[in-house]
Coordinates of all heavy atoms in Angstrom, one line a residue:
L42 N 6.7 -3.7 -97.7 CA 6.3 -2.3 -97.3 C 4.9 -2.0 -97.7 O 4.1 -1.5 -96.9 CB 7.3 -1.3 -97.8 CG 8.7 -1.4 -97.2 CD1 9.6 -0.3 -97.8 CD2 8.8 -1.5 -95.7
R43 N 4.5 -2.3 -98.9 CA 3.2 -1.9 -99.3 C 2.1 -2.7 -98.6 O 0.9 -2.3 -98.5 CB 3.0 -2.1 -100.8 CG 3.1 -3.5 -101.3 CD 3.1 -3.6 -102.9 NE 1.8 -3.2 -103.5 CZ 1.7 -3.0 -104.7 NH1 2.7 -3.3 -105.6 NH2 0.5 -2.6 -105.2
T44 N 2.4 -3.9 -98.0 CA 1.4 -4.7 -97.3 C 1.5 -4.3 -95.8 O 0.8 -5.0 -95.0 CB 1.7 -6.2 -97.5 OG1 3.0 -6.5 -97.2 CG2 1.3 -6.5 -98.9
K45 N 2.5 -3.4 -95.4 CA 2.6 -3.0 -94.0 C 3.1 -4.1 -93.1 O 2.8 -4.1 -91.8 CB 1.3 -2.4 -93.4 CG 0.7 -1.2 -94.2 CD -0.5 -0.6 -93.6 CE -0.9 0.6 -94.5 NZ -2.1 1.3 -93.9
L46 N 3.9 -5.0 -93.7 CA 4.6 -6.0 -92.8 C 6.0 -5.6 -92.3 O 6.6 -6.4 -91.5 CB 4.7 -7.3 -93.7 CG 3.4 -8.1 -93.9 CD1 3.6 -9.2 -95.0 CD2 2.8 -8.7 -92.6
G47 N 6.5 -4.5 -92.8 CA 7.9 -4.1 -92.4 C 8.0 -3.4 -91.0 O 9.0 -3.0 -90.7
V48 N 6.9 -3.5 -90.3 CA 6.9 -2.8 -89.0 C 7.5 -3.6 -87.9 O 7.9 -3.0 -86.8 CB 5.5 -2.3 -88.5 CG1 4.9 -1.4 -89.6 CG2 4.6 -3.6 -88.4
E49 N 7.7 -4.9 -88.1 CA 8.2 -5.8 -87.0 C 9.7 -6.3 -87.3 O 9.8 -7.1 -88.2 CB 7.3 -7.0 -86.8 CG 7.6 -7.9 -85.7 CD 7.7 -7.1 -84.4 OE1 6.6 -6.9 -83.8 OE2 8.8 -6.8 -83.9
T50 N 10.6 -5.7 -86.6 CA 12.0 -6.0 -86.9 C 12.8 -6.4 -85.5 O 14.0 -6.4 -85.5 CB 12.8 -4.9 -87.6 OG1 12.8 -3.7 -86.8 CG2 12.1 -4.6 -88.9
R51 N 12.0 -6.5 -84.5 CA 12.7 -6.6 -83.1 C 13.3 -8.0 -82.9 O 14.2 -8.0 -82.0 CB 11.6 -6.3 -82.1 CG 11.1 -4.9 -82.0 CD 10.0 -4.8 -81.0 NE 8.8 -5.5 -81.4 CZ 7.7 -5.7 -80.6 NH1 7.7 -5.2 -79.4 NH2 6.7 -6.4 -81.0
Y52 N 12.9 -9.0 -83.5 CA 13.3 -10.4 -83.1 C 13.8 -11.2 -84.2 O 13.6 -11.0 -85.4 CB 12.0 -11.1 -82.5 CG 11.2 -10.3 -81.6 CD1 9.9 -10.0 -81.8 CD2 11.7 -9.9 -80.3 CE1 9.1 -9.2 -80.9 CE2 11.0 -9.1 -79.4 CZ 9.7 -8.8 -79.7 OH 9.0 -8.1 -78.8
A53 N 14.6 -12.2 -83.8 CA 15.0 -13.3 -84.7 C 13.8 -14.2 -84.9 O 13.2 -14.7 -84.0 CB 16.2 -14.1 -84.2
S54 N 13.4 -14.2 -86.2 CA 12.1 -15.0 -86.5 C 12.4 -16.3 -87.2 O 13.4 -16.5 -87.9 CB 11.2 -14.1 -87.4 OG 11.1 -12.8 -86.8
W55 N 11.6 -17.3 -87.0 CA 11.9 -18.7 -87.4 C 10.6 -19.2 -88.2 O 10.2 -18.8 -89.2 CB 12.3 -19.5 -86.2 CG 13.5 -19.0 -85.5 CD1 13.5 -18.1 -84.5 CD2 14.9 -19.3 -85.8 NE1 14.8 -17.8 -84.1 CE2 15.7 -18.5 -84.9 CE3 15.5 -20.1 -86.8 CZ2 17.0 -18.6 -84.9 CZ3 16.9 -20.2 -86.7 CH2 17.6 -19.4 -85.8
G56 N 10.0 -20.3 -87.6 CA 8.9 -21.0 -88.3 C 7.8 -20.0 -88.6 O 7.4 -19.2 -87.7
T57 N 7.1 -20.3 -89.7 CA 6.0 -19.4 -90.1 C 5.0 -20.1 -91.0 O 5.2 -21.2 -91.5 CB 6.7 -18.2 -90.9 OG1 5.7 -17.2 -91.3 CG2 7.4 -18.6 -92.1
G58 N 3.9 -19.4 -91.2 CA 2.9 -19.9 -92.1 C 1.9 -18.9 -92.6 O 1.8 -17.8 -92.0
I59 N 1.4 -19.1 -93.8 CA 0.4 -18.2 -94.4 C -0.9 -19.0 -94.4 O -1.1 -19.9 -95.2 CB 0.7 -17.8 -95.9 CG1 2.0 -17.0 -95.9 CG2 -0.4 -16.9 -96.4 CD1 2.5 -16.7 -97.3
F60 N -1.8 -18.8 -93.4 CA -2.9 -19.6 -93.2 C -4.1 -18.7 -92.7 O -3.8 -17.7 -92.0 CB -2.7 -20.7 -92.2 CG -1.8 -21.8 -92.7 CD1 -0.5 -21.9 -92.4 CD2 -2.3 -22.8 -93.6 CE1 0.3 -22.9 -92.9 CE2 -1.5 -23.8 -94.0 CZ -0.2 -23.9 -93.7

Side-chain angles (χ1 to χ4, degrees):
L42 296 181
R43 68 186 293 175
T44 55
K45 300 184 178 181
L46 288 169
V48 298
E49 185 57 81
T50 62
R51 294 174 293 173
Y52 311 117
S54 306
W55 302 89
T57 181
I59 302 176
F60 289 100

